[in-house]
């Protein structure tokens, strides 16, 4: 039988980290906004060190997002940051910028590297290229369907990771687009437009579609109007040979993420006990719906969509 995939979650605080581990996460993504983007919370180096200690004591892995679009000024501090992550025994770093590989080589240190370029990780050739440069895992684009996931996995020399639940990013700009717009309509532009403001972008033609939008030090982020949810088709998803399945916890409460992780933990374990006799438990979906924002639909994302090129 195939190896059971890792259940990966994202945490915004040490409290959430501990609760998600208790709920059944095998690995947790964390990071700091200076070096990572679209994170549920900011972990400074001391908190990252503490997170590794907490997780490793439970046999859980810690991955740190270092997937920002770096400028020259950030390159001055990046080496010391990566050195600290290595010294703290972080299990892997999530990256997109090849500068990460160059800096690690200069420091003469090795770390597991998970290649994530959001919407462009769509073919095995590019992924295997990054494998020759040191990447150990490919985080597949959310726009791939299950047939494409299998086609890539069959020819990939790296580990594979897919997202099975949560919000997805659909647009990112380094510019402060919300602040610019607010200034255009004579709004007070000294306000913060971060995740806590709960701002939405609404199209004139589809006013029932609300796209979360926020700004931070890394620019403007527009997120999907719905959440991926595969709990009721998880057996079909798990037929694909992937190494890690991710629950994205961005813009969600600790209670929400804890509930979701616990449901998927039960489902994954039950499936791998005996795939042939596995049956979906409707209570899992009911528990998720109880904590789900009623204004946000649950969908299968692109997993079952026929792609037209």
């Amino acid at each position: 039988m195939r190896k059971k995939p890792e259940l990966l979650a994202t945490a915004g605080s040490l409290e959430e980290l501990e609760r998600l581990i208790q709920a059944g996460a095998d690995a947790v993504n964390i990071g700091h906004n200076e070096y990572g983007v679209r994170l549920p919370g900011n972990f400074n180096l001391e908190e990252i060190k503490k997170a590794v200690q907490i997780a490793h004591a439970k046999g859980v892995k810690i991955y740190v997002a270092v997937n920002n679009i770096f400028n020259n000024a950030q390159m001055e501090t990046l080496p010391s940051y990566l050195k600290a992550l290595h010294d703290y025994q972080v299990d892997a770093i999530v990256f997109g910028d090849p500068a990460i590989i160059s800096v690690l080589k200069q420091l003469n240190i090795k770390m597991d590297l998970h290649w994530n370029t959001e919407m462009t990780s769509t073919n095995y050739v590019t992924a295997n290229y990054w494998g020759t440069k040191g990447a150990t895992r490919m985080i597949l684009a959310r726009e791939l369907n299950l047939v494409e996931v299998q086609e890539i996995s069959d020819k990939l020399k790296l580990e594979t990771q897919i997202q099975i639940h949560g919000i997805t990013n659909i647009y990112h700009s380094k510019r402060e687009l919300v602040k610019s717009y607010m200034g255009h309509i004579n709004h007070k532009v000294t306000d913060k437009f971060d995740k806590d403001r709960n701002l939405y972008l609404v199209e004139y033609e589809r006013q029932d579609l609300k796209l979360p939008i926020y700004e931070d030090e890394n620019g403007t982020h527009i997120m999907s109007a719905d959440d991926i949810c595969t709990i009721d088709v998880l057996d079909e998803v798990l037929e694909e040979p992937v190494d890690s399945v991710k629950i994205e916890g961005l813009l969600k409460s600790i209670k929400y993420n804890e509930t979701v992780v616990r449901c998927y933990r039960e489902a994954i374990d039950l499936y791998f006990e005996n795939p042939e006799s596995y049956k979906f438990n409707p209570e899992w979906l009911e528990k998720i719906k109880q904590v789900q924002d009623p204004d946000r639909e649950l969908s299968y994302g692109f997993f079952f969509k026929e792609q037209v090129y």
Side-chain angles (χ1 to χ4, degrees):
M1 180 185 289
R2 289 188 291 106
K3 179 182 177 184
K4 185 188 300 185
E6 160 194 275
L7 179 57
L8 172 64
T10 62
S13 65
L14 288 172
E15 177 195 356
E16 183 170 19
L17 173 80
E18 293 187 277
R19 288 173 61 171
L20 296 183
I21 290 174
Q22 184 66 28
D26 297 310
V28 183
N29 260 352
I30 61 175
H32 191 280
N33 283 343
E34 175 71 16
Y35 304 98
V37 291
R38 287 175 295 281
L39 301 168
N42 256 345
F43 281 72
N44 60 36
L45 283 175
E46 279 303 308
E47 289 171 323
I48 291 174
K49 182 178 182 180
K50 180 66 174 176
V52 172
Q53 293 170 345
I54 292 171
H56 285 186
K58 300 289 186 178
V60 172
K61 295 181 178 181
I62 292 292
Y63 306 145
V64 175
V66 194
N67 59 335
N68 205 344
I69 302 172
F70 296 109
N71 56 36
N72 289 330
Q74 289 170 312
M75 295 306 301
E76 298 298 319
T77 59
L78 184 60
S80 61
Y81 185 72
L82 294 178
K83 178 65 164 56
L85 298 184
H86 176 266
D87 292 345
Y88 296 161
Q89 298 184 328
V90 164
D91 295 283
I93 58 177
V94 180
F95 84 106
D97 193 326
I100 297 294
I101 296 174
S102 297
V103 172
L104 289 176
K105 190 172 294 186
Q106 291 168 11
L107 294 171
N108 196 30
I109 59 178
K110 289 186 177 181
M111 301 184 71
D112 277 354
L113 300 173
H114 296 174
W115 179 62
N116 178 29
T117 52
E118 296 291 348
M119 295 176 288
T120 62
S121 46
T122 57
N123 70 82
Y124 68 91
V125 175
T126 302
N128 285 334
Y129 166 80
W130 285 112
T132 66
K133 302 300 180 182
T136 57
R137 175 181 294 183
M138 177 188 187
I139 301 174
L140 299 182
R142 282 65 166 173
E143 289 75 14
L144 298 177
N145 61 34
L146 287 178
V147 173
E148 292 168 317
V149 169
Q150 182 178 16
E151 289 174 347
I152 290 176
S153 298
D154 288 344
K155 298 179 180 179
L156 202 60
K157 300 175 183 177
L158 290 73
E159 293 182 352
T160 54
Q161 177 184 307
I162 60 174
Q163 182 178 330
I164 59 170
H165 194 97
I167 200 168
T168 57
N169 168 241
I170 62 174
Y171 178 85
H172 175 217
S173 172
K174 293 290 280 187
R175 295 178 294 169
E176 296 178 322
L177 301 181
V178 180
K179 184 177 291 185
S180 176
Y181 173 75
M182 292 300 187
H184 174 69
I185 62 174
N186 297 318
H187 190 281
K188 185 171 66 173
V189 295
T190 55
D191 288 345
K192 287 185 176 181
F193 305 108
D194 57 16
K195 295 191 291 288
D196 296 333
R197 287 291 299 274
N198 295 318
L199 298 175
Y200 295 93
L201 184 66
V202 179
E203 297 181 28
Y204 180 79
E205 294 83 3
R206 298 185 295 175
Q207 297 195 18
D208 58 333
L209 196 68
K210 298 165 65 177
L211 304 171
I213 182 171
Y214 69 93
E215 281 180 2
D216 56 21
E217 51 265 54
N218 296 312
T220 306
H221 311 271
I222 303 177
M223 311 302 293
S224 60
D226 58 7
D227 290 311
I228 294 174
C229 178
T230 62
I231 191 71
D232 60 330
V233 292
L234 196 60
D235 54 335
E236 297 182 59
V237 175
L238 293 177
E239 286 180 2
E240 308 308 327
V242 296
D243 299 282
S244 178
V245 291
K246 181 185 179 183
I247 294 170
E248 176 56 71
L250 181 63
L251 302 183
K252 298 294 191 292
S253 68
I254 296 179
K255 179 181 178 182
Y256 180 96
N257 291 329
E258 185 178 31
T259 299
V260 171
V261 168
R262 199 174 298 279
C263 290
Y264 279 92
R265 175 77 280 156
E266 292 179 10
I268 291 170
D269 289 348
L270 185 62
Y271 175 83
F272 276 90
E273 280 181 13
N274 190 338
E276 298 300 322
S277 63
Y278 171 84
K279 289 185 179 181
F280 162 67
N281 183 349
E283 289 185 6
W284 297 327
L285 184 56
E286 273 308 306
K287 289 178 181 178
I288 291 174
K289 286 182 175 180
Q290 287 172 12
V291 293
Q292 179 72 16
D293 183 343
D295 291 331
R296 291 184 60 80
E297 292 186 6
L298 296 171
S299 79
Y300 299 138
F302 287 84
F303 281 134
F304 299 101
K305 291 186 178 181
E306 182 177 353
Q307 308 291 32
V308 180
Y309 299 107

